[in-house]
């Protein structure tokens, strides 16, 4: 319980620290909004929790040639799947309630504040125990499939960041 309280305090302390150092109580959120400004037509007026992921899902689906309205639907399905995995998968349940609760709150924080872009995968690294739990099933085919998906994902990320990094929507 004490560690949960400490983690919560530490999570909110960044907003306080940024406010003290800059003299602007809104400095932390202004920094988060700065990442969005060049990605969205018309920019961003102010911070609205969870808006970044919704905007990004519409943006990315449009970039991929799909209807932008499908983005929030896919996002909702992804959130439900992550929640179900944290609640019900035996491999994830074996991690214990403290790690699952931390993972859930970290994901909630990312959903509330973060605008997904090239740093998304880096910011998901603290969830490594949960990712590892997904590769635990005994089926060798499943484990090899997870490994192949991770290797392919890494290659795609490197290709998009370094080979296509000069396009307008890439962050170098």
């Amino acid at each position: 319980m004490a560690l949960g309280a400490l983690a919560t305090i530490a999570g909110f302390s960044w907003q306080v620290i940024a406010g003290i150092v800059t003299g602007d109580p809104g400095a932390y959120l202004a920094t988060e909004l700065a990442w969005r400004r060049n990605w969205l037509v018309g920019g961003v007026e102010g911070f609205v929790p969870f808006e970044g992921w919704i905007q990004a899902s519409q943006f990315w689906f449009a970039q991929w040639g799909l209807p932008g309205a499908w983005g929030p639907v896919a996002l909702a399905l992804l959130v439900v799947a992550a929640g179900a995995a944290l609640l019900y998968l035996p491999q994830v349940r074996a991690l214990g309630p403290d790690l699952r609760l931390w993972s859930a709150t970290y994901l909630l924080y990312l959903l509330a504040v973060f605008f997904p872009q090239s740093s998304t995968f880096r910011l998901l690294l603290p969830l490594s125990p949960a990712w590892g739990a997904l590769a635990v099933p005994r089926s060798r085919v499943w484990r090899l499939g997870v490994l192949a998906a991770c290797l392919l994902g890494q290659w795609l990320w490197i290709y998009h960041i370094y080979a296509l990094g000069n396009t307008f929507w890439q962050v170098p």
Side-chain angles (χ1 to χ4, degrees), residues 83-99:
L86 287 169
L87 287 172
Y88 300 116
L89 282 181
Q91 300 87 353
V92 178
R93 289 180 61 107
L95 296 174
D98 51 348
L99 191 53

Side-chain angles (χ1 to χ4, degrees), residues 127-152:
L127 298 172
S128 292
W131 297 124
L134 294 176
V136 169
R138 291 190 177 110
S139 165
R140 177 169 272 208
V141 172
W142 173 263
R143 288 194 307 259
L144 289 173
V146 169
L147 177 61
C150 290
L151 290 173
L152 177 64

Side-chain angles (χ1 to χ4, degrees), residues 64 155-167 169-170:
W64 298 330
W155 183 87
L156 286 170
W157 184 82
I158 290 170
Y159 174 75
H160 279 86
I161 296 302
Y162 292 110
L164 303 176
N166 60 350
T167 60
W169 52 270
Q170 295 290 341

Side-chain angles (χ1 to χ4, degrees), residues 44-89:
V44 178
E45 292 297 317
F47 178 78
V48 176
F50 305 101
E51 183 180 48
W53 281 85
I54 294 168
Q55 291 170 331
S57 68
Q58 293 168 333
F59 173 83
W60 286 112
F61 269 69
Q63 288 295 311
W64 298 330
L66 300 169
W70 290 5
V73 173
L75 176 62
L77 291 173
L78 184 64
V79 168
V80 168
L86 287 169
L87 287 172
Y88 300 116
L89 282 181

